[in-house]
Amino acid sequence: MSRTQPLPTYFLSHGGGPWPYMDGPFRQHFGQLEASLRQIPLELGQAPRAVLMISGHWEAARFELMAAENPGMVYDYGGFPAHTYQIRYPAPGEPTLARAVAQRLQAAGLPVALNSERGFDHGAFTTMFPMYPEADVPLVQLSLQQDYEPAQHLALGRALAPLRHEGVLIIGSGLSYHNLRAFGPAARTASGQFDAWLQHALLRETPEGRRQALLHWSDAPAARLAHPREDHLLPLMVAVGAAEQEAGSLIYHEPDFMGGVTVSSFRFGALPGR
């Protein structure tokens, strides 16, 4: 399937744990985030052929692509109710897409392997469930590379960019602030400072200025307070790399998430028909 206008790409702050599958006070923290996720299929109109998801919860020595026809689940969280370790997001995989993406990455000189055992982690299924609750859109996950090199992940996005013309929706799933030792009110200053820098870099810089800012993200205000490990920031590099010359838009912003955290999500590129 070829499209004249490419699909946009997204970087989504995915919240905490298996929140879409819970009720009660914890669940109530995620109302604004859920509304933003539910809006994405509406603004896209036609469902994508497939989603290619880069989650901050999967890293490997080289880029790995989920290649199972019917992926399982990875319950990569702790301390949640028992039923959240039984949930299923039964979206189909798409091994043919995984193999085609692997070939693209090999052609771009990027190290890649297929993984037929990997299941969906919560960075993937917590974003997909509000967007496509029927689990009827094929979903393929792609790992980060564990050396955390920004340039390598921007290059990964660049290699994936043609997929946007083929009906594949590229989503980076992480968090714009991810320091679990300083969350809630303790995160107010650092998350606010880093988010202000992030919005300037993503929304107001030129494409080259944005690229340079991301390459040197650790020089940003409160950078290492916001991301002691950059696993939840690197999916952003992939989403930007796949839409390198296109404008960014803020699609979710909450300055008091969980009692003090500033969090944001972004879209890169124009919506279909606009």
Side-chain angles (χ1 to χ4, degrees):
M1 179 170 65
S2 179
R3 304 171 62 102
T4 302
Q5 182 180 350
L7 288 171
T9 70
Y10 290 86
F11 171 71
L12 303 177
S13 288
H14 63 229
W19 64 266
Y21 298 87
M22 297 174 63
D23 295 309
F26 181 78
R27 177 72 176 76
Q28 293 168 11
H29 289 294
F30 300 92
Q32 291 185 47
L33 174 59
E34 182 170 12
S36 73
L37 294 172
R38 287 184 172 179
Q39 181 64 27
I40 290 173
L42 299 178
E43 66 185 23
L44 291 175
Q46 181 181 356
R49 164 195 157 198
V51 171
L52 183 64
M53 176 78 70
I54 301 92
S55 164
H57 288 273
W58 184 18
E59 57 189 69
R62 52 189 171 178
F63 296 119
E64 292 191 5
L65 281 148
M66 176 185 290
E69 290 188 8
N70 297 289
M73 301 288 283
V74 177
Y75 304 114
D76 52 345
Y77 41 76
F80 288 92
H83 79 271
T84 65
Y85 300 89
Q86 304 296 324
I87 57 179
R88 290 277 300 162
Y89 185 74
E94 192 171 322
T96 300
L97 175 62
R99 290 191 293 269
V101 173
Q103 290 173 355
R104 288 184 187 275
L105 300 191
Q106 288 172 340
L110 298 171
V112 63
L114 297 176
N115 185 326
S116 60
E117 304 298 323
R118 176 74 182 190
F120 300 132
D121 62 55
H122 86 266
F125 64 77
T126 60
T127 52
M128 289 293 289
F129 181 64
M131 291 169 58
Y132 298 105
E134 300 302 317
D136 52 359
V137 175
L139 175 60
V140 174
Q141 280 197 243
L142 170 59
S143 79
L144 303 172
Q145 191 172 356
Q146 63 191 22
D147 63 2
Y148 290 169
E149 175 55 51
Q152 188 83 331
H153 290 82
L154 284 164
L156 172 63
R158 208 172 293 126
L160 298 174
L163 296 171
R164 299 171 56 207
H165 289 276
E166 300 171 11
V168 177
L169 182 63
I170 297 170
I171 296 177
S173 175
L175 272 172
S176 58
Y177 174 90
H178 193 249
N179 183 347
L180 299 183
R181 294 187 176 183
F183 223 71
R188 191 175 305 278
T189 298
S191 66
Q193 289 177 345
F194 187 76
D195 192 88
W197 173 85
L198 195 62
Q199 288 200 43
H200 179 87
L202 298 180
L203 306 179
R204 291 184 281 281
E205 286 282 2
T206 64
E208 178 57 22
R210 181 172 67 186
R211 189 179 74 86
Q212 290 297 326
L214 293 178
L215 286 172
H216 304 286
W217 75 271
S218 59
D219 295 332
R224 283 299 178 185
L225 293 174
H227 291 280
R229 295 176 71 247
E230 53 266 47
D231 50 325
H232 277 58
L233 185 66
L234 284 172
L236 168 65
M237 313 293 181
V238 186
V240 170
E244 202 162 29
Q245 300 301 316
E246 298 169 62
S249 302
L250 182 68
I251 63 166
Y252 162 68
H253 177 71
E254 196 167 352
D256 201 32
F257 175 68
M258 299 292 284
V261 185
T262 300
V263 287
S264 296
S265 297
F266 300 88
R267 181 183 67 241
F268 304 97
L271 291 171
R274 301 186 191 178

